[in-house]
Amino acid sequence: MNEQIFRAAPARAHGSPETPLRRPAQVALTYVALGAAWILYSDNLLLAMVPDASLLASIGLDKGLAYVLVTGLLLYGLLMRRDRHSLPPQHVDGGSGTNRRIGAPRHEDNRETSEAQVARWRQWAMAFEHIRDGVMITDAHCRIQTVNAAFSAITGYSADEAIGASARLLQSGRHAPEFYQQMWAALQTEGRWQGEIWNRRKNGEVFPEWLTLNVVRDGAGRVTHYVGVFTDVSRSKTVEAQLERLAHYDPLTELPNRVLVIDRLAQVLLRSERRNGTTAVLVIDLDGFKTVNDSLGHPAGDELLVCIAARLQSRLRTDDLLGRLGGDEFLVALEGCATPAEVAALARDLLDTVAAPVPLSCGQDAYVTASIGISLHPVYGSRSVVELLRDADAAMYRAKEQGRNCFCFYTSDMNAEAIAKLELEAALSRALARGELLLHYQPKVDARSGLVAGAEALLRWNRKGVGLVPPGQFIPVAEQSSLILAIGAWVIDEACRQLRAWMDAGQPLVRVAVNVAARQFAAGDLDQVVARALHRHRVDAQWLEIEITEGMLITEPQAAISMLKRIKALGVKLSLDDFGTGYSSLAYLQHFPLDALKIDQSFTRRIGQEPDGAALVDAVIALAHRLHLRVVAEGVETPQQRDYLRQHGCDEMQGYHFAHPAPADALQQRLAADACGHDPT
């Protein structure tokens, strides 16, 4: 709406506002003047025209009645015109364009409009035309009389196209008749209705809008108009739908995410229980996915996940549930499966599907396998979604332990093992604070002299109420959790503390070796942990040796070399444990700042038991000596093994043949025996 609406509105030159009619005094004076003129001139005129006195009296009466009638009609007309101009316009102007949208004063009305009223009209017109919401005003018969610019922008209909048409022009056909019946019932009883409604644009597009309808009534309570104000909420609906999808679907694979999978799985179980059927849940975890991510990059990993998801979907029925739990883990739910054999057949098929090479856009082929854990409802007593997922997870980890690229059904003993492992981890987390951890020491014997040349500190756990826990039970648990960082730091600190205690007591010292876990080495601060322990207990670095495994060095050789050099700079000895059992890289071996190689006990046991069983031992000894490294053989249990190693140049030996791991006092007793010249071997 703009200024052209008011071009016909007159303004007073002297700025004195007046009403559309004359002021009351002017009206009264006009009436008196007209009445006096009528009385004066009408009587003279009658005397001239009617000389008969009796007839003149009769005509005089008629004249009086005529005067009353004329003046009454005049007053009636004036009052009606005043009433009409005291109400705001309720019908559109006869012009075209913008002036047709809202009524405005006409120039031809010959009425003077006050400045205040003109200003109000301008304000209302501006608000009406420029409001962002669409506005439509209809008559009592739902014929459109007025629309604003937002109406045209939202619906696509111009004012010329809309005005005069029925409001049904916008109906989408998506609502049932009952919807409109309820709307009209609310308008009739409350005079107002508000809600979401679907309408149709001029181009045929159906869109949602938030509509508010109000009824306009006259003084007698009759409906004169309907006013509709609406907002296009299609964009909000789109955003809402996108947020809803993001909340329940994986954006990468477009599969249901964990939230939606759990919800749908609960529905599957309910249907299965009603039908007394069996439901199988398969948790699929990819083997080797991290290698693809690390070597080819995350975009390649994402592409691999999308391809695997599509492959899995292609092997399932339409009614089967497939979702992504997160990372490289997927879930399949089979409703109404017949037998475990049927589930096993599908699991084999899925394994073959995943194992097939995946060509990537980078030009490389990705190779991964899968480990699948299967739980059945209600075969193993799993009643809820949480229990099913827990059991399938346990079975999946068992499949990984069995070599990967295989599937495993859940059994009840897996749950018992999982609970025991959880309890063990909880107790182990409290072991440090309770002082339940301790170190035992196993001597390393010089192969030539038979004297103790060093010792290996081995972690033991004296669990309260249980006693010594076998290392094979709790050390893997610690290594798989973050507990190993705190425990590993404690082992280094305790070994240094023990060395200081021996020094303070004036007892003989030997070099003490400490094992380091992979997670502890990868943490990146091992050199700092060692330095703090040496400084805290005032121990010379020559008495401490750090044992690492080759698996720690192969993953990131350059980072490993950097760490080993920092530890070596402290003066600490470095030993490579279990050499030959992993994927040894001889090319890197000469770059590692090592002091010793340890022959794994699996090689030592072959001496004298298998033809050529000692060949690997000979090779390790020869290689180590060529690299100027000390050779330590572990797992020596027989005199035959001892003698062979001694004859072939092994430097140090360690094993049950010499001594079992024992507390620090037992090591000191052995050192005292050596000082007295006793040979326990």
Side-chain angles (χ1 to χ4, degrees):
M1 187 69 66
N2 50 46
E3 294 292 334
Q4 67 180 350
I5 296 176
F6 301 99
R7 285 182 299 183
R12 297 290 295 173
H14 302 287
S16 59
E18 291 185 351
T19 62
L21 300 178
R22 300 291 184 178
R23 288 180 298 191
Q26 292 175 323
V27 174
L29 289 174
T30 301
Y31 179 78
V32 170
L34 290 174
W38 173 261
I39 294 171
L40 293 175
Y41 292 107
S42 62
D43 286 343
N44 293 332
L45 182 62
L46 287 175
L47 288 173
M49 294 176 61
V50 182
D52 184 28
S54 60
L55 183 59
L56 182 63
S58 175
I59 293 174
L61 178 61
D62 293 338
K63 180 195 70 169
L65 293 174
Y67 178 79
V68 171
L69 179 62
V70 170
T71 55
L73 291 174
L74 179 62
L75 287 175
Y76 174 80
L78 291 174
L79 290 174
M80 287 296 294
R81 296 185 68 179
R82 184 194 64 182
D83 289 342
R84 281 200 301 270
H85 286 279
S86 67
L87 295 173
Q90 295 184 0
H91 60 276
V92 296
D93 193 83
S96 60
T98 308
N99 289 344
R100 294 187 62 188
R101 292 196 181 117
I102 186 167
R106 299 171 181 263
H107 175 70
E108 58 271 17
D109 287 343
N110 294 321
R111 296 186 306 272
E112 295 182 356
T113 307
S114 69
E115 291 285 347
Q117 188 174 14
V118 170
R120 284 197 300 271
W121 274 110
R122 287 191 180 123
Q123 294 168 6
W124 281 107
M126 186 68 67
F128 179 85
E129 190 65 21
H130 294 286
I131 189 173
R132 294 180 60 184
D133 295 335
V135 180
M136 175 179 68
I137 301 175
T138 74
D139 60 17
H141 303 291
C142 295
R143 290 284 174 183
I144 300 175
Q145 292 192 335
T146 307
V147 297
N148 68 347
F151 173 95
S152 298
I154 294 173
T155 66
Y157 289 101
S158 67
D160 290 335
E161 293 172 318
I163 292 174
S166 170
R168 294 187 180 90
L169 176 73
L170 303 176
Q171 277 192 3
S172 65
R174 291 190 59 167
H175 298 290
E178 293 77 17
F179 175 84
Y180 295 103
Q181 291 172 5
Q182 294 174 2
M183 176 194 297
W184 284 108
L187 286 173
Q188 292 171 4
T189 57
E190 302 174 15
R192 185 175 186 271
W193 180 88
Q194 187 178 63
E196 184 178 288
I197 186 172
W198 288 82
N199 274 337
R200 187 180 302 274
R201 306 186 205 273
K202 182 180 178 181
N203 62 9
E205 177 189 354
V206 175
F207 70 100
E209 66 180 43
W210 187 258
L211 173 64
T212 300
L213 284 175
N214 286 280
V215 178
V216 179
R217 300 180 185 274
D218 61 13
R222 292 185 297 269
V223 175
T224 61
H225 297 83
Y226 295 101
V227 178
V229 180
F230 61 90
T231 303
D232 184 352
V233 295
S234 54
R235 181 175 298 179
S236 301
K237 283 286 185 180
T238 302
V239 173
E240 182 181 340
Q242 291 174 346
L243 292 175
E244 178 73 13
R245 184 163 185 84
L246 286 174
H248 294 97
Y249 285 87
D250 172 44
L252 179 63
T253 63
E254 297 187 353
L255 294 176
N257 62 11
R258 176 180 287 271
V259 174
L260 185 57
V261 161
I262 290 177
D263 180 68
R264 290 187 176 178
L265 184 54
Q267 298 174 20
V268 169
L269 295 185
L270 288 175
R271 290 196 299 268
S272 181
E273 289 177 356
R274 287 197 298 266
R275 300 169 184 172
N276 294 322
T278 301
T279 299
V281 172
L282 292 76
V283 171
I284 305 170
D285 189 84
L286 301 183
D287 307 320
F289 175 73
K290 186 177 184 298
T291 303
V292 175
N293 249 352
D294 294 343
S295 59
L296 300 180
H298 289 280
D302 291 345
E303 186 179 353
L304 174 62
L305 288 174
V306 172
C307 182
I308 294 297
R311 287 184 178 183
L312 294 174
Q313 189 74 72
S314 69
R315 308 307 300 170
L316 300 175
R317 302 170 301 184
T318 306
D319 295 336
D320 295 334
L321 173 62
L322 172 65
R324 184 184 177 198
L325 296 178
D328 58 351
E329 197 171 67
F330 298 87
L331 177 140
V332 172
L334 308 175
E335 184 178 359
C337 54
T339 62
E342 178 185 331
V343 180
L346 175 64
R348 291 190 190 94
D349 184 40
L350 295 180
L351 288 175
D352 294 339
T353 299
V354 172
V358 179
L360 302 176
S361 58
C362 62
Q364 298 281 343
D365 286 348
Y367 295 87
V368 293
T369 58
S371 298
I372 301 178
I374 306 171
S375 60
L376 299 177
H377 170 84
V379 176
Y380 298 118
S382 302
R383 307 297 299 180
S384 67
V385 172
V386 174
E387 291 173 344
L388 272 175
L389 292 177
R390 176 202 65 194
D391 297 346
D393 263 335
M396 183 267 292
Y397 284 113
R398 177 62 61 87
K400 286 188 177 293
E401 293 171 0
Q402 292 177 353
R404 308 191 176 197
N405 195 25
C406 62
F407 64 89
C408 183
F409 281 90
Y410 170 80
T411 57
S412 57
D413 64 306
M414 292 183 188
N415 189 40
E417 291 177 8
I419 293 175
K421 181 180 178 181
L422 188 63
E423 292 177 349
L424 188 70
E425 184 175 345
L428 186 58
S429 65
R430 298 188 293 267
L432 270 176
R434 294 178 175 179
E436 296 176 355
L437 299 182
L438 64 154
L439 294 181
H440 281 186
Y441 299 85
Q442 187 175 36
K444 296 179 181 179
V445 176
D446 184 274
R448 296 180 181 85
S449 66
L451 300 178
V452 175
E456 181 178 358
L458 299 170
L459 180 63
R460 295 294 182 265
W461 179 18
N462 187 18
R463 186 177 177 182
K464 184 178 180 181
V466 177
L468 285 175
V469 179
Q473 289 187 11
F474 76 89
I475 290 181
V477 173
E479 290 179 340
Q480 293 171 8
S481 68
S482 59
L483 295 174
I484 194 61
L485 299 178
I487 293 175
W490 178 88
V491 169
I492 295 173
D493 188 82
E494 176 62 16
C496 292
R497 186 203 65 78
Q498 185 61 66
L499 285 167
R500 167 49 56 186
W502 286 336
M503 285 188 284
D504 292 344
Q507 295 176 311
L509 294 180
V510 290
R511 184 177 61 253
V512 175
V514 174
N515 290 286
V516 173
R519 290 190 65 173
Q520 189 179 5
F521 186 81
D525 63 345
L526 180 59
D527 56 323
Q528 301 174 32
V529 173
V530 172
R532 286 194 295 267
L534 292 171
H535 181 266
R536 182 182 299 112
H537 299 290
R538 295 172 289 114
V539 173
D540 195 305
Q542 66 173 325
W543 299 112
L544 185 65
E545 183 174 5
I546 299 296
E547 292 189 1
I548 57 177
T549 61
E550 57 187 336
M552 304 177 193
L553 309 179
I554 301 303
T555 305
E556 295 184 19
Q558 294 302 327
I561 291 173
S562 176
M563 174 59 72
L564 293 179
K565 287 182 177 179
R566 296 201 299 270
I567 297 175
K568 188 73 173 177
L570 298 174
V572 175
K573 302 295 182 182
L574 293 171
S575 176
L576 186 60
D577 197 7
D578 301 335
F579 180 73
T581 59
Y583 299 94
S584 304
S585 174
L586 299 181
Y588 277 108
L589 186 60
Q590 61 182 342
H591 298 294
F592 295 135
L594 301 172
D595 297 290
L597 284 184
K598 294 190 72 174
I599 300 174
D600 187 69
Q601 58 183 339
S602 63
F603 297 159
T604 304
R605 292 195 194 100
R606 298 177 185 177
I607 299 175
Q609 293 184 356
E610 300 178 11
D612 300 326
L616 289 175
V617 173
D618 296 342
V620 173
I621 293 174
L623 175 64
H625 286 166
R626 289 294 298 271
L627 295 174
H628 308 290
L629 301 177
R630 189 174 77 255
V631 180
V632 181
E634 60 182 0
V636 179
E637 297 180 352
T638 67
Q640 183 182 10
Q641 294 169 350
R642 177 200 62 191
D643 294 341
Y644 184 90
L645 291 166
R646 181 182 294 165
Q647 293 168 8
H648 287 78
C650 184
D651 299 304
E652 296 177 7
M653 294 177 284
Q654 173 186 353
Y656 290 167
H657 177 71
F658 303 103
H660 287 259
D665 292 343
L667 178 62
Q668 283 298 324
Q669 293 174 8
R670 176 63 187 270
L671 292 173
D674 286 352
C676 296
H678 297 295
D679 184 6
T681 63

